[in-house]
């Protein structure tokens, strides 16, 4: 004891066990515990608001299909109405997918042999249920954004007789929508914000469908065919719509100048006008 007091601390280090010295330098091992109940609560917290948004989206999806005759004959208003319907259906499908995947994830946590021990809930979900974790987060955010964008188009349509007021309300809703994206990106936990989350979900979804297709899954084959078909139709529809509203000289080609003019008309409040507004302008 007296010798230990006389010697400097460095002289005592060789007498310690090497593994204890290494543990003291590297720090203690992470504490593992069971996160089953926390995982169930996480997915339940995702599916409840998703169900509410899905119900609201499908309830009002077709409200703009019955309009006055002058609005129905307007190509611009028809484009707005169709975009509204597409966004509402997309919101419904995204949120319904969240409900389904979250419910399935809860069942897996309760009834399968998942290793539910981890140092954190995030570590557990990314290790054992990454597809469900990414899918619910991405689907909920995507559906919510589609729902908000649809409401901005709806308020533009509802207040169309007061042009400036309708544009004001629409832009305020758009500002609220993009503020949600900003908040999500600044408070993101992982995957680098909304775009990173979407990219990761696309990779996981593609891997899931491809593995199922290789094993002879009929549903996977149908999923691939319908996705490619929908993508081709969407590209064709976009090109037709672009030519219809941006090609001012009718040459079949949209120049950069015509594109800039279209954007200018939209942001100046002259992008979608019915016949009454056009006469009063």
């Amino acid at each position: 004891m007296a010798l230990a007091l006389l010697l400097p601390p460095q002289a005592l280090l060789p007498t310690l066990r090497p593994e204890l010295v290494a543990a003291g330098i590297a720090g203690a091992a992470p504490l593992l515990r069971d996160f089953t109940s926390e995982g169930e609560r996480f997915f339940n917290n995702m599916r409840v608001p998703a169900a509410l948004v899905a119900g609201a989206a499908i309830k009002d999806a077709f409200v703009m299909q019955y309009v006055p005759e002058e609005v129905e004959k307007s190509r611009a208003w028809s484009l707005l109405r169709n975009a509204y319907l597409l966004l509402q259906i997309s919101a419904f499908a995204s949120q319904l997918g969240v409900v389904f995947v979250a419910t399935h994830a809860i069942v897996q946590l309760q009834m399968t042999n998942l290793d539910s021990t981890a140092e954190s809930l995030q570590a557990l979900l990314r290790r054992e249920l990454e597809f469900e974790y990414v899918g619910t987060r991405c689907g909920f955010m995507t559906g919510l954004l589609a729902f908000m964008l649809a409401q901005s188009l709806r308020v533009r349509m509802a207040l169309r007789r007061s042009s400036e007021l309708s544009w004001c309300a629409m832009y305020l809703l758009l500002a609220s929508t993009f503020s949600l994206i900003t908040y999500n990106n600044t408070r993101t936990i992982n995957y680098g914000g909304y775009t990173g989350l979407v990219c990761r979900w696309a990779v996981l979804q593609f891997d899931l469908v491809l593995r199922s297709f290789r094993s002879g899954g009929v549903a996977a084959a149908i999923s691939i065919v319908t996705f490619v078909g929908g993508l081709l139709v969407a590209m064709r529809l976009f090109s037709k719509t672009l030519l219809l509203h941006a090609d001012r000289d009718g040459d079949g080609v949209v120049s950069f100048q015509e594109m800039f003019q279209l954007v200018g008309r939209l942001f100046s409040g002259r992008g979608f006008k019915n016949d009454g507004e056009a006469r009063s302008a």
Side-chain angles (χ1 to χ4, degrees):
M1 182 67 180
L3 181 61
L5 293 175
L6 294 175
L7 292 176
Q10 293 81 358
L12 297 177
L13 288 178
T15 65
L16 298 177
R17 294 171 58 186
E19 59 270 20
L20 295 180
V21 176
I25 296 174
L31 180 63
L32 302 179
R33 70 182 185 90
D34 193 312
F35 281 93
T36 300
S37 59
E38 287 84 352
E40 293 174 4
R41 285 197 296 269
F42 170 80
F43 286 111
N44 193 57
N45 290 338
M46 295 297 295
R47 68 175 180 171
V48 171
L52 296 176
V53 177
I58 196 63
K59 175 179 176 293
D60 293 334
F62 301 95
V63 296
M64 291 174 58
Q65 297 305 302
Y66 305 98
V67 294
E69 184 178 358
E70 67 274 9
V71 175
E72 186 176 2
K73 292 181 178 180
S74 171
R75 293 184 300 180
W77 287 119
S78 296
L79 174 63
L80 185 144
R81 290 163 50 224
N82 293 336
Y84 169 82
L85 177 60
L86 180 61
L87 287 171
Q88 287 286 75
I89 295 299
S90 299
F92 170 74
S94 296
Q95 301 294 4
L96 195 63
V98 172
V99 174
F100 175 80
V101 173
T103 303
H104 196 273
I106 293 175
V107 172
Q108 290 187 73
L109 287 169
Q110 293 175 340
M111 304 184 65
T112 59
N113 296 324
L114 291 178
D115 181 11
S116 57
T117 58
E119 60 270 18
S120 66
L121 176 61
Q122 180 188 160
L124 167 65
L125 296 180
R126 296 189 68 176
R127 187 190 69 221
E128 300 290 341
L129 296 168
E130 186 180 16
F131 180 88
E132 292 78 6
Y133 174 55
V134 175
T136 52
R137 288 181 57 196
C138 179
F140 178 75
M141 192 64 187
T142 301
L144 189 61
L145 293 177
F147 182 76
M148 291 290 290
L149 291 174
Q151 300 315 303
S152 67
L153 297 181
R154 183 178 181 180
V155 75
R156 170 70 177 117
M157 180 74 177
L159 300 175
R160 63 186 181 277
R161 298 188 183 280
S162 179
S163 179
E164 293 182 354
L165 180 61
S166 67
W167 281 101
C168 176
M170 189 185 76
Y171 285 145
L172 288 177
L173 274 174
L174 289 175
S176 177
T177 302
F178 284 96
S179 69
L180 295 179
I181 301 178
T182 303
Y183 178 84
N184 180 81
N185 292 342
T186 55
R187 298 289 185 176
T188 185
I189 302 174
N190 42 44
Y191 299 108
Y194 177 67
T195 54
L197 196 66
V198 172
C199 292
R200 182 56 183 165
W201 177 85
V203 172
L204 294 172
Q205 179 73 19
F206 179 78
D207 181 67
L208 176 69
V209 173
L210 189 60
R211 283 189 286 110
S212 179
F213 177 74
R214 287 175 176 174
S215 61
V218 178
I222 297 175
S223 176
I224 295 174
V225 172
T226 53
F227 175 77
V228 173
L231 188 62
L232 293 176
V233 173
M235 294 173 61
R236 179 173 175 268
L237 179 62
F238 177 77
S239 61
K240 288 178 61 177
T241 303
L242 193 63
L243 287 174
L244 180 64
H245 294 278
D247 187 16
R248 308 294 288 183
D249 53 12
D251 60 352
V253 178
V254 179
S255 63
F256 286 106
Q257 182 180 1
E258 290 173 333
M259 180 62 69
F260 290 145
Q261 290 175 352
L262 175 63
V263 174
R265 291 196 304 274
L266 291 175
F267 279 91
S268 63
R270 296 180 289 113
F272 294 105
K273 286 190 174 182
N274 58 22
D275 296 336
E277 288 177 335
R279 286 192 296 267
S280 61

